[in-house]
Amino acid sequence: MSGKRKILLINSIAIAIFILISMYPDKLQLYDKQDFVAFHMILEMVSIVISFSIFFIGWKLYSHSLSFLLLSITFLMVGSIDFFHTLSYLGMPHFIMDSSITKSIWLWVIARLFCALLVLLIFSIDDRRISKNIANFLLPLALLTVTSTVFIIYRFESGLPMMVIEGVGPTTLKNGIEYFISFIYLILFFLSYRYYKNKSDYYSINIFISLSLMVLSELNFTLYNSIYDIHNFYGHLLKAVAYFYILEAFYFATMEQRKKGHEKVITAKNELSGILSLQDGMIFKFQKEGDRFIHSLCEGELLEVLNIKKEWIIGKPLEAVRLPNLPEIMENYKLAWYGKRRLTYEITFKNRQLYVSLKPVLKEGKVIEVIGSMTDVTDLKAMEQAFINSEKLGVVGEMAAGVAHEIRNPLTTIKGFMQLMKKDAVDKHRTYFDLMLSEVDRLESITRDFMAIAKPQASHFKPASLSAIIDEVISFLNPQAVLKGIDIVFMDTSSNLFIKCDSNQLKQVLINLIKNAFEAMPKGGTIHIILTEEVSQLTLEIKDEGTGIPLEILESLGRPFLTTKKEGYGLGLMMSQKIIEAHNGKMRVASVLNSGTSFFITLPCLVRDDEHTS
């Protein structure tokens, strides 16, 4: 049922009954006068129970709202005074105090006056969250007010003005107070209607219904002539029903508050879980249950990187999680838990370098849980290694510059004298001088490349045939290959495609790789050089039948000073990689121990030979 329909239905029924009672008071007097005490006690006890229930619910929620605190204390006061009113009602047996019309009416009027004034106060102040100190102050104040009121009425009963004269009806004083209370409830009726229009929730609907019924209840109390009047009975009934709707408003406000609190907790957990799941590393928690460490949280993108599901970890002991170096990790868990100190360590898992931090959470000096974080530092370690390699390259560059400078001067001298000697040599010796001068030129080219490490220089890129370059290198190295018992087999299927390159640099790369193949086959064998044509690129494979490269060396191949040769420095392959990258190419290696090694070089094509020559 909607709020409007509920308000309309309840108020319509209450008003209809009121009109019928006003029109036919004698015909609707369905009970005997002597039974009124029982009816009165039942209705008042219902009101008292509801009042105390409102107090207990409101007191539980007081930190949420100042209005809840004041309303709950209001009904504590009303319920307490109504309790003494019921005990002192005319016809009730002696208990604590004697029954008396004066005491009973005065307690009754003051209870409703307190209720009206305090509810008006609640509507007049701004609602806010409050501290426990305010509640601890107001509760004793309310109890002191109730005690003082009851004591004054009981002690000075004889001096109090009459409120009701039996057989005559209410006095002017009582009617005046009743009209004043009715006026306050009428104001509250409009205030609650405005509150309902602004909120339109279950709480505001029930508060509006309650105050509507309270206005009608007070109207009945102003009309009755005798305590046994049907208007008096109906007024008590409306009051009990009005209190019930306040209780219902409090109850559902409690449920709504708990629901909102539960929803906030769930939302906060989901948001936290979402935030943690998006962080680069991994966050986890564990507690100690018996002799085992049980994980209670595990979130982060690192789980996906490591191909681990959090269900494998959450709720599981450390022993059940498949991790390398488990004894070492267990020892670190124990150090964090029993040592009550933060610690860090590194582990390797699935070829990833992981940095782990453990931080104990203490409560009253005891560890209640440990929060851990795990970060993938593989790339950081690679950058660190790259920095170290860069430092090495700097040293190599300085050395290369110095060595190249020292070698270049003697080479210049040797080259000059050889050119002079060539002029005087007989024809059959001139070929040897040409070969020696060619080698001197190559030595000069090598010294220039060494200088490029320290101070890069512009390369001379020109269109050239990769097939022709390979033929020249094979022709140059073939005599040495024959001496070592090695055959060099070249297979070309590339249609003589051209590339843009520095021929001398590419020759240096090929010579380095083929000489490495020589050294890998001390007992001889065959080197296969295969040139193939692909889409817009050429792929060159240099394959030997040597001893192969160990896996730990293969993963780091190309670093300076990393080599399998006893007298090597690991610089040749490093320089080769640098040259290929400068040609916008790629170089990779595949090797099997005791079976051989293959180097693959991929370079972009430029133009076909016939197109170039045309």
Side-chain angles (χ1 to χ4, degrees), residues 258-452:
R258 288 181 177 177
K259 180 181 177 182
K260 288 181 179 179
H262 184 63
E263 289 175 349
K264 285 182 179 179
V265 170
I266 294 176
T267 301
K269 285 184 177 180
N270 291 337
E271 289 179 353
L272 179 60
S273 178
I275 292 170
L276 292 178
S277 65
L278 292 175
Q279 67 105 14
D280 293 336
M282 184 171 72
I283 300 292
F284 61 94
K285 292 196 307 181
F286 64 83
Q287 291 93 25
K288 191 170 185 295
E289 297 181 7
D291 295 330
R292 302 192 302 175
F293 294 108
I294 307 296
H295 296 92
S296 58
L297 173 69
C298 186
E299 292 284 357
E301 288 186 346
L302 189 57
L303 289 170
E304 186 175 349
V305 174
L306 300 176
N307 195 24
I308 297 176
K309 295 182 178 179
K310 59 184 178 182
E311 291 79 11
W312 300 348
I313 299 176
I314 297 177
K316 303 294 191 300
L318 178 60
E319 297 85 347
V321 182
R322 296 179 181 178
L323 291 173
N325 306 325
L326 184 61
E328 178 187 352
I329 297 173
M330 177 65 77
E331 187 64 27
N332 287 323
Y333 273 39
K334 290 180 179 179
L335 283 173
W337 187 275
Y338 295 111
K340 302 178 182 179
R341 61 184 177 88
R342 182 173 184 172
L343 59 93
T344 59
Y345 58 94
E346 291 186 11
I347 61 171
T348 302
F349 183 60
K350 293 187 177 181
N351 297 323
R352 309 298 294 181
Q353 195 74 15
L354 305 175
Y355 178 82
V356 184
S357 174
L358 301 178
K359 183 179 181 180
V361 178
L362 302 176
K363 185 177 181 179
E364 297 179 356
K366 295 183 179 180
V367 179
I368 58 173
E369 65 180 358
V370 174
I371 299 176
S373 64
M374 187 178 292
T375 307
D376 186 355
V377 294
T378 307
D379 295 337
L380 186 63
K381 290 287 185 180
M383 290 175 62
E384 181 182 345
Q385 188 61 46
F387 177 75
I388 294 173
N389 292 341
S390 178
E391 291 293 319
K392 290 180 179 179
L393 284 174
V395 175
V396 171
E398 293 178 5
M399 292 173 58
V403 171
H405 178 73
E406 294 299 325
I407 291 176
R408 188 169 52 181
N409 292 332
L411 282 177
T412 302
T413 303
I414 292 171
K415 184 176 180 179
F417 280 109
M418 288 181 67
Q419 288 173 339
L420 293 173
M421 292 171 65
K422 178 183 174 182
K423 293 179 181 180
D424 300 329
V426 295
D427 291 340
K428 66 177 182 179
H429 293 157
R430 287 179 183 275
T431 304
Y432 302 131
F433 279 104
D434 288 337
L435 180 60
M436 286 186 290
L437 286 170
S438 175
E439 289 300 299
V440 170
D441 287 339
R442 196 165 70 82
L443 284 172
E444 287 182 334
S445 176
I446 291 173
T447 58
R448 284 197 302 270
D449 291 337
F450 266 72
M451 292 292 290

